[in-house]
């Protein structure tokens, strides 16, 4: 990949908190991955490989899966030379894989993701961490595409409160303050990706359209960027509480 292209991606990423890579994965590979994804999901669900915190449903359809590291396509993409080259220009230090997720957001019923910063969930000590959000379908503001508050990563880590929203259990405490930032919702074709910084504020709306909006994410961090044990403890406590409440309300 041309160094001038990488420089432009890096500039966007540091200026705005995200950058867009068009055609990271070819259409043919996206089609193969989607076919294989259905088999992978059936396997995960049938073999009861997922804990309740790792899978969320909406109207009996899968809305998100938070444990996709074992999927063969995740492993393949984690070794993709083009992606590794880009990511290693965005993160300082040695790279480390930090998991993979699926945001399936089915047509008509896909759930919103409340405003958040990824690092609030990850509890990492600094900002040398990012998400690669790959579109498996077209994604835009009509079908609940992800939107960003441009440059909001410069604020550092913001206060969050429990969201009680399956899949993204925390949300920004004071969202009104974000109005000073430009809100941007990229339009993506299958195979395009957004690489976003772990401090940039983002979210997505409900999918009220007739088109599904499947997004697959790979996460990377700097190897020496470690988890803050105190923040992790508090985060886990609140997550466990929310899951307990969810189970309780499902029984009522
Ligand atoms: O796909 C979505 O709707 C939310 C994704 C998200 O919040 C993330 O990748 O961090």
């Amino acid at each position: 990949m041309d160094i001038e292209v990488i420089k432009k991606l890096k500039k966007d990423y540091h200026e705005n908190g995200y950058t867009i890579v068009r055609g990271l994965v070819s259409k043919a590979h996206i089609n193969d991955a989607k076919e294989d994804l259905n088999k992978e999901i059936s396997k995960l669900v049938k073999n009861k490989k997922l804990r309740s915190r790792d899978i969320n449903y909406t109207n009996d359809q899968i809305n998100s899966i938070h444990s996709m590291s074992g999927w063969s396509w995740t492993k393949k993409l984690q070794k993709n030379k083009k992606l590794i080259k880009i990511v290693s220009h965005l993160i300082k230090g040695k790279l480390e894989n930090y998991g993979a997720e699926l945001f399936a957001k089915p047509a008509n019923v896909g759930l919103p993701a409340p405003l958040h910063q990824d690092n609030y969930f990850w509890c990492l000590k600094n900002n040398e961490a990012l998400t690669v959000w790959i579109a498996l379908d077209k994604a835009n503001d009509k079908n609940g595409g992800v939107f960003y508050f441009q440059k909001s990563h410069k604020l550092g880590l913001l206060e969050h409160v429990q969201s009680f929203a399956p899949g993204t259990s925390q949300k920004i405490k004071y969202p009104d303050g974000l109005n000073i930032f430009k809100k941007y919702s990229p339009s993506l074709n299958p195979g395009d990706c957004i690489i976003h910084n772990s401090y940039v504020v983002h979210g997505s709306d409900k999918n009220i359209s007739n088109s599904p909006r499947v997004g697959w994410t790979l996460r990377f961090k700097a190897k020496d960027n470690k988890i803050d044990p105190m923040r992790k403890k508090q985060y886990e406590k609140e997550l466990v509480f929310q899951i307990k409440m969810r189970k309780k309300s499902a029984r009522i």
Side-chain angles (χ1 to χ4, degrees):
M1 191 177 219
D2 194 326
I3 193 68
E4 288 309 313
V5 177
I6 302 233
K7 272 191 196 159
K8 164 87 175 64
L9 296 175
K10 193 171 169 178
K11 186 168 174 277
D12 278 356
Y13 175 81
H14 288 297
E15 256 178 42
N16 295 324
Y18 60 83
T19 188
I20 297 168
V21 183
R22 302 279 171 194
L24 174 75
V25 185
S26 70
K27 294 265 153 60
H29 280 147
I30 287 290
N31 290 339
D32 290 350
K34 280 176 81 169
E35 208 181 302
D36 194 58
L37 179 62
N38 293 330
K39 291 185 202 143
E40 176 71 11
I41 292 176
S42 313
K43 208 165 71 190
L44 287 172
V45 173
K46 205 166 120 201
N47 297 348
K48 296 198 167 52
K49 286 251 166 83
L50 298 168
R51 300 170 296 174
S52 63
R53 64 191 280 169
D54 288 330
I55 186 158
N56 292 293
Y57 292 89
T58 173
N59 283 42
D60 294 331
Q61 295 177 61
I62 291 171
N63 191 71
S64 58
I65 300 182
H66 303 280
S67 168
M68 294 298 293
S69 297
W71 185 30
S72 61
W73 278 89
T74 296
K75 291 180 182 163
K76 235 181 258 181
L77 200 58
Q78 282 167 339
K79 290 192 204 117
N80 180 293
K81 286 204 177 100
K82 184 174 163 185
L83 181 62
I84 298 300
K85 187 164 177 187
I86 298 170
V87 173
S88 57
H89 277 82
L90 304 182
I91 287 182
K92 282 197 210 106
K94 209 171 167 352
L95 272 194
E96 193 170 69
N97 293 319
Y98 199 53
E101 296 176 282
L102 187 80
F103 292 92
K105 217 174 243 214
N108 303 304
V109 292
L111 299 174
L115 291 182
H116 67 280
Q117 295 168 304
D118 290 345
N119 204 349
Y120 195 88
F121 298 76
W122 302 353
C123 308
L124 295 170
K125 288 188 177 165
N126 65 51
N127 198 16
E128 297 300 332
L130 55 77
T131 295
V132 181
W133 195 103
I134 306 130
L136 294 184
D137 293 315
K138 273 182 183 287
N140 48 51
D141 59 2
K142 308 276 182 307
N143 64 350
V146 181
F147 58 79
Y148 295 88
F149 285 93
Q150 246 173 33
K151 305 184 198 298
S152 56
H153 62 304
K154 296 183 179 171
L155 293 173
L157 198 61
L158 300 173
E159 278 188 78
H160 284 59
V161 286
Q162 298 188 66
S163 67
F164 293 91
T168 44
S169 56
Q170 298 278 340
K171 62 181 181 184
I172 296 281
K173 187 170 182 183
Y174 301 111
D176 290 351
L178 294 162
N179 292 338
I180 57 164
F181 297 105
K182 187 174 166 203
K183 190 176 167 190
Y184 179 66
S185 178
S187 285
L188 304 176
N189 281 315
D192 292 345
C193 82
I194 316 164
I195 303 182
H196 68 242
N197 183 275
S198 69
Y199 280 179
V200 76
V201 178
H202 62 286
S204 64
D205 292 324
K206 260 166 87 168
N207 185 2
I208 52 170
S209 78
N210 294 325
S211 316
R213 194 240 56 187
V214 181
W216 162 39
T217 64
L218 260 59
R219 306 180 307 214
F220 294 89
K221 71 173 193 69
K223 196 164 188 209
D224 62 6
N225 188 7
K226 303 288 182 202
I227 289 173
D228 178 328
M230 291 304 284
R231 276 171 48 208
K232 181 76 175 165
K233 196 170 162 196
Q234 180 63 22
Y235 170 75
E236 284 293 323
K237 195 171 139 191
E238 292 182 355
L239 180 62
V240 168
F241 174 69
Q242 289 187 49
I243 292 169
K244 218 191 240 169
M245 294 302 284
R246 238 181 263 159
K247 283 185 181 157
K248 200 169 158 187
S249 69
R251 281 199 299 271
I252 293 169

